[in-house]
Amino acid sequence: LVQDIKTLSHAREGGMTATMRPEDLCHIVLDVTEVVKPHLADKGVTLSLDMPSTAPLICDRIRIGQVIDNLMQNAARYTNAPGTVRLCIFDAETAFHLTVDDTPPGPGPEDIPRLFERFFRAESSRSRAYGGSGLGLSVCQAIVESHGGTISASLSELGGLCVAIVLPKAPL
């Protein structure tokens, strides 16, 4: 909780430090999902990855890994068994698009616009009983925006939540 608040404070003040280097977004995803896969399997949730063989990006590996980990932990926490979490990366001309979709339950449509608010919790399907501080998506937003990207949420075609991230490619 304290670290999340620090991250948000630094982002708000423009003081978020980042170690920007050439990285491979696909490698970051594989590292994070390798850790969360057993937890998903124990819950009866299948992980599906759809991504190119490589996704070169200038980013802070630790921060982007934190975003992906948070999204995967949320999906693990809020997806009922039997369920599916699908992570996709699409290589667009000027950016990489990353989506994390999950199966039910999902938040109510009225809650979608508020998911990135600090301390907001969609009580109907994502109650306090599941844990979390209500800061995770706010932290994700701060990190993604510090990389010049965008993050949004919508209802997933799988029945749960879809979080979409766009990370710009560095100019050559």
Side-chain angles (χ1 to χ4, degrees), residues 24-31 33 48-55 87-91 98:
D24 187 326
L25 183 57
C26 295
H27 288 157
I28 297 170
V29 166
L30 290 172
D31 288 347
T33 56
S48 166
L49 297 176
D50 182 10
M51 54 189 186
S53 58
T54 185
L87 188 150
C88 299
I89 297 174
F90 172 72
D91 185 350
L98 182 147

Side-chain angles (χ1 to χ4, degrees), residues 17-158:
T17 58
T19 306
M20 305 296 268
R21 306 174 199 216
E23 297 286 353
D24 187 326
L25 183 57
C26 295
H27 288 157
I28 297 170
V29 166
L30 290 172
D31 288 347
V32 171
T33 56
E34 201 57 38
V35 173
V36 78
K37 253 191 235 181
H39 178 62
L40 289 169
D42 289 347
K43 268 198 79 184
V45 176
T46 303
L47 175 62
S48 166
L49 297 176
D50 182 10
M51 54 189 186
S53 58
T54 185
L57 189 68
I58 304 292
C59 71
D60 182 322
R61 179 182 188 84
I62 292 171
R63 295 283 190 195
I64 294 300
Q66 181 181 356
V67 169
I68 295 164
D69 181 63
N70 183 284
L71 297 179
M72 296 304 297
Q73 294 296 334
N74 281 352
R77 184 178 292 134
Y78 300 118
T79 301
N80 290 340
T84 300
V85 174
R86 179 178 65 193
L87 188 150
C88 299
I89 297 174
F90 172 72
D91 185 350
E93 189 172 319
T94 60
F96 286 106
H97 296 251
L98 182 147
T99 58
V100 176
D101 285 280
D102 57 37
T103 50
E110 68 281 359
D111 293 330
I112 296 287
R114 299 191 61 205
L115 290 178
F116 295 97
E117 291 178 15
R118 293 176 190 190
F119 303 111
F120 177 75
R121 301 185 57 81
E123 292 303 322
S124 60
S125 63
R126 296 175 186 256
S127 75
R128 186 83 182 139
Y130 290 109
S133 64
L135 289 174
L137 288 176
S138 294
V139 169
C140 289
Q141 183 177 42
I143 293 169
V144 169
E145 288 177 354
S146 77
H147 281 75
T150 60
I151 186 169
S152 60
S154 61
L155 295 177
S156 169
E157 64 183 32
L158 299 178

